[in-house]
Amino acid sequence: MQQKLYCYYCGHTLQQKMWEGRVRSFCSQCRIPIYENPVPATAVVVVDHFGQLLLVKRNVAPKQGYWALPGGFMELLETPETCALRELQEETGLRGTIDRLLGVVANNSDVYGTVLIVGYLITAHEGELLPGDDASDVAFFPSDELPEIAFTSHSRFINGAFASQKLYLKTED
């Protein structure tokens, strides 16, 4: 991640200074530390009534050409749930209903420093399946025939969703 050189607020040059027990960027003009926080994002595990997993083929870096879960960055004034459903529709053409939270993970990023990803399970969806936004393709895959997944966080959400579904199905029998 590229180090910030100028204050977000006044444009003054930043200095490195020991602050709150660690070296931070500090604006001597505003007299405040510049905190850098993780970038929030979402990903959705969409499972159809056959137990197949929905994946999108990435059309943008990083991992262009790899398969991944639908998802993306949260925007201002948006909840994680709203972000997840918006990204699902933008990337796949589907509208869905969140079944449950799968978890939250943090990944290091060369571009953003840290990305905080919130994963959700979607089992009810409708619409016409079409690649859109940053996807060159979109398809449902049987769980035993998945392609290589772009991100380890996505693999964790997928594994968690399928593990919990199997446990859920076992308790229903």
Side-chain angles (χ1 to χ4, degrees), residues 18-63:
M18 184 61 94
W19 186 262
E20 296 175 335
R22 64 174 19 169
V23 176
R24 299 184 188 274
S25 296
F26 191 86
C27 180
S28 57
Q29 183 72 25
C30 293
R31 298 185 166 271
I32 59 170
I34 304 299
Y35 295 101
E36 297 201 61
N37 300 310
V39 177
T42 62
V44 292
V45 173
V46 179
V47 180
D48 70 6
H49 58 279
F50 298 111
Q52 297 183 109
L53 175 68
L54 179 65
L55 296 173
V56 296
K57 194 170 203 178
R58 292 181 56 80
N59 198 26
V60 295
K63 302 284 189 167

Side-chain angles (χ1 to χ4, degrees), residues 98-104 118-121:
I98 292 174
D99 181 285
R100 70 178 171 271
L101 174 71
L102 291 171
V104 180
V118 182
Y120 295 100
L121 176 64

